[in-house]
Amino acid sequence: FGQFIHQEERYILKEWFKESDYYKFYAGIINSSVLRGAIKEKGYELHFIPHPVFFPYINEFDFGSNVVIHGNDVSYNQMFCESSLFITDYSYAVFDCAYLMKPVIYTQFDTEEFYKSQYERGMFDYDMEGFGPVVESIEGAVEKIVGYINNDCKMEEMYKKRALEYFKYRDKKNANRIFEELF
């Protein structure tokens, strides 16, 4: 994320963070009146867990009282188990979500910049192999999120099929197989 410079093993927030595309994108989604209305109507909660490099700057986010904002207090395992829908950008943590058959939305508003400054494109193609839709705009993200909320956060068949094909075993014996292979 081009808004940070690395110095002495910590990230330093630049003054213009609230003007960054990252902040504007996620603030735009979370502050959407359409999204907030759907969440309230259907009885969901919205939790925002920024990337760990943003944890020191959690107070820069002002999303009102209807959003639970997490810093380093979050247990990802607990969130995977308790959440109904996951929204991320490029995180591979969604493989856990897909294994649990929970819907995923990839919010990739900065694809060109991301691959130019952060990472090279890998072998995984989010559009062709991802476990959920890829959206590039605030409006597209809100529309997809609300669509899932209105459908009780059920994974779409296309993505369910991908998840089922991706994971060879779904029998809760993965730890046993690893143990047997090692010993």
Side-chain angles (χ1 to χ4, degrees), residues 25 29 105-109 127 133-137 140-142 144:
F25 186 80
I29 293 170
I105 299 172
Y106 299 98
T107 54
Q108 298 180 352
F109 65 94
D127 287 306
V134 177
V135 296
E136 298 175 354
S137 68
V142 168
K144 278 294 183 187

Side-chain angles (χ1 to χ4, degrees), residues 160-175:
K160 188 182 289 187
K161 182 179 180 209
R162 286 182 188 176
L164 289 170
E165 289 173 358
Y166 189 85
F167 298 102
K168 184 175 181 179
Y169 300 105
R170 302 196 56 79
D171 58 7
K172 299 184 181 181
K173 296 180 183 178
N174 291 333

